[in-house]
């Protein structure tokens, strides 16, 4: 097959990852994979909820006690802690079955296209948020940016579900 993950270098990297001590340990264990999956989901939940809160605030939803910038500052630690936990859990899950995962279209979309695009947009929203709150036209742009970010992260979640479902169906 042709594509992002079809080169010999990618295949060698996937095999190397699967043959690391942690990759082999995760595959051999009856409990590590479910615990890591739970860890990944908890991290993603913390990341998505804290990001969604700021995006909704940009869209004008929620109490006016604080601006989107203030809310973002208050949630920054939680947001990035969730991201790191999700990333670590996802990396360890990948190390157990990298050669299987990279052939899955949902996985490719999630990590090869949608995830990086959503993360780049998130960073742009976070850095531009103070400017958007300064004017009425800026607030309108911020509302659109928040909506786009919500849609991007939703597409990442949909790709993850497609990945999980197709992986389950094809590897039973």
């Amino acid at each position: 097959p042709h594509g992002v993950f079809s080169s010999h270098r990618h295949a060698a990297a996937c095999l190397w990852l699967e043959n690391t001590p942690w990759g082999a340990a995760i595959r051999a264990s009856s409990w590590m994979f479910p615990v890591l999956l739970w860890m990944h989901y908890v991290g993603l939940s913390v990341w998505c909820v804290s990001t969604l809160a700021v995006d909704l605030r940009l869209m004008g939803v929620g109490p006016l006690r604080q601006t989107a910038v203030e809310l973002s500052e208050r949630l920054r630690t939680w947001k990035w802690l969730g991201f790191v936990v999700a990333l670590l859990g996802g990396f360890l899950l990948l190390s157990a079955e990298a050669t299987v995962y990279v052939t899955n279209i949902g996985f490719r979309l999630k990590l090869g296209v949608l995830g990086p695009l959503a993360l780049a947009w998130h960073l742009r929203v976070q850095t531009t948020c103070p400017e958007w709150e300064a004017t009425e036209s800026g607030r309108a742009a911020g509302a659109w940016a928040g909506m786009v970010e919500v849609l991007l992260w939703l597409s990442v979640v949909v790709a993850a579900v497609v990945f999980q479902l197709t992986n389950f169906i094809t590897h039973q």
Side-chain angles (χ1 to χ4, degrees), residues 38-98:
W38 174 82
M39 180 179 133
H40 184 61
Y41 288 160
V42 167
L44 285 173
S45 297
V46 171
W47 165 262
C48 287
V49 167
S50 56
T51 298
L52 180 63
V54 175
D55 291 333
L56 288 173
R57 190 67 212 105
L58 278 170
M59 290 186 278
V61 177
L64 299 175
R65 291 185 303 248
Q66 55 194 351
T67 66
V69 172
E70 293 166 339
L71 183 59
S72 181
E73 284 297 318
R74 289 187 67 203
L75 295 174
R76 174 173 284 152
T77 301
W78 284 107
K79 189 179 348 178
W80 290 107
L81 179 64
F83 181 80
V84 169
V85 168
L87 188 66
L88 179 61
F91 174 76
L92 291 171
L93 290 168
L94 173 64
S95 69
E97 297 187 316

Side-chain angles (χ1 to χ4, degrees), residues 100-101 104 161-172:
V100 172
Y101 289 2
N104 184 296
V161 169
V162 167
F163 160 60
Q164 290 291 335
L165 287 174
T166 56
N167 194 48
F168 177 76
I169 290 167
T170 59
H171 294 96
Q172 267 192 337

